[in-house]
Amino acid sequence: FNTVTGMFIIGDYKTNKDLFKNYLAISNNKSSPKFIVLHMIGSHPAIGDRVEYQYDEYLVSKEISYYNKSVKNTDAFLGQIYQNLKSTKKSFKMIYISDHGLGINSSLQISHDDNVQESYNVPLILWGDDITKSTTINSSRSAKDFLHLFSEFLNVKTKNIDLNYKFISEDKSSDDEILIIDSNNKIKK
């Protein structure tokens, strides 16, 4: 990454509005190229805080209604970032990935819970100025291969990353199965 002149990491904010203001300040900085990492709070518990206890429609419970609103807010935030990048008329790549999913318990409470499958199935969305169509890939991928994705998507070549399959494809990964060790040191498949 010798060519990267600006790397900015923007941290935890209560809402995406505050994060977007800081993103714009960095985005408008004249240094180029840029590598910007945004850590969004998005739907993290307490979800009501993230949406200022507002929701568009009531769905089953307040907690689920807040969650639904937080997903809409995340979508709108990503749309703002995308539109800003597109308006520059410069080449760009954008990756959205979650570090964990959330589960719903029997009391309809939403939480980060390693005992539910939803905590491990997270979205991965890629955008770029050269991407012209939407494609859904159903193959499983592991977070341990993130650098593989990063290398492939940004076309960065290095001898330290084994590109034995195409990450952005239906190709099988190098692992026959993905194993997860939960917080109780139990292996999940």
Side-chain angles (χ1 to χ4, degrees):
F1 286 94
N2 295 343
T3 60
V4 175
T5 58
M7 178 174 172
F8 304 95
I9 299 177
I10 304 175
D12 301 331
Y13 290 88
K14 185 175 177 183
T15 67
N16 292 338
K17 291 176 200 169
D18 297 328
L19 183 58
F20 188 71
K21 289 176 200 170
N22 286 288
Y23 159 78
L24 282 177
I26 291 168
S27 176
N28 293 333
N29 179 304
K30 299 296 179 202
S31 70
S32 186
K34 293 183 181 80
F35 175 73
I36 303 172
V37 177
L38 304 173
H39 181 250
M40 301 176 349
I41 289 297
S43 301
H44 279 79
I47 298 170
D49 286 348
R50 312 295 170 229
V51 297
E52 299 170 337
Y53 295 93
Q54 303 291 315
Y55 51 83
D56 296 331
E57 58 187 323
Y58 184 84
L59 301 168
V60 182
S61 72
K62 281 188 175 183
E63 184 86 358
I64 292 173
S65 303
Y66 295 148
Y67 175 77
N68 189 53
K69 177 68 174 179
S70 73
V71 171
K72 288 180 180 181
N73 289 352
T74 297
D75 184 59
F77 177 76
L78 293 171
Q80 285 181 296
I81 300 289
Y82 177 81
Q83 288 303 323
N84 175 263
L85 290 168
K86 196 171 167 187
S87 73
T88 68
K89 307 280 190 229
K90 294 180 182 176
S91 178
F92 71 89
K93 301 286 186 189
M94 183 171 147
I95 300 172
Y96 173 79
I97 189 167
S98 181
D99 56 343
H100 61 80
L102 298 170
I104 302 173
N105 66 23
S106 59
S107 302
L108 300 180
Q109 295 298 306
I110 298 173
S111 66
H112 175 96
D113 182 352
D114 63 6
N115 290 313
V116 295
Q117 187 66 36
E118 290 85 2
S119 290
Y120 303 104
N121 291 332
V122 297
L124 169 64
I125 305 170
L126 309 172
W127 295 269
D129 63 296
D130 58 343
I131 296 174
T132 59
K133 65 177 185 166
S134 175
T135 304
T136 299
I137 297 171
N138 295 306
S139 291
S140 295
R141 298 293 186 247
S142 170
K144 76 175 183 53
D145 286 338
F146 180 76
L147 287 179
H148 183 147
L149 162 68
F150 195 75
S151 166
E152 182 180 316
F153 191 51
L154 299 180
N155 199 28
V156 173
K157 305 291 185 223
T158 175
K159 63 183 177 184
N160 299 328
I161 299 174
D162 181 18
L163 301 176
N164 57 2
Y165 71 99
K166 194 169 179 207
F167 192 99
I168 306 169
S169 74
E170 293 290 347
D171 292 354
K172 283 194 157 237
S173 70
S174 56
D175 297 326
D176 288 337
E177 63 182 338
I178 297 172
L179 301 177
I180 301 165
I181 300 174
D182 69 14
S183 60
N184 296 318
N185 289 326
K186 293 184 179 168
I187 295 177
K188 295 179 176 268
K189 294 182 180 188

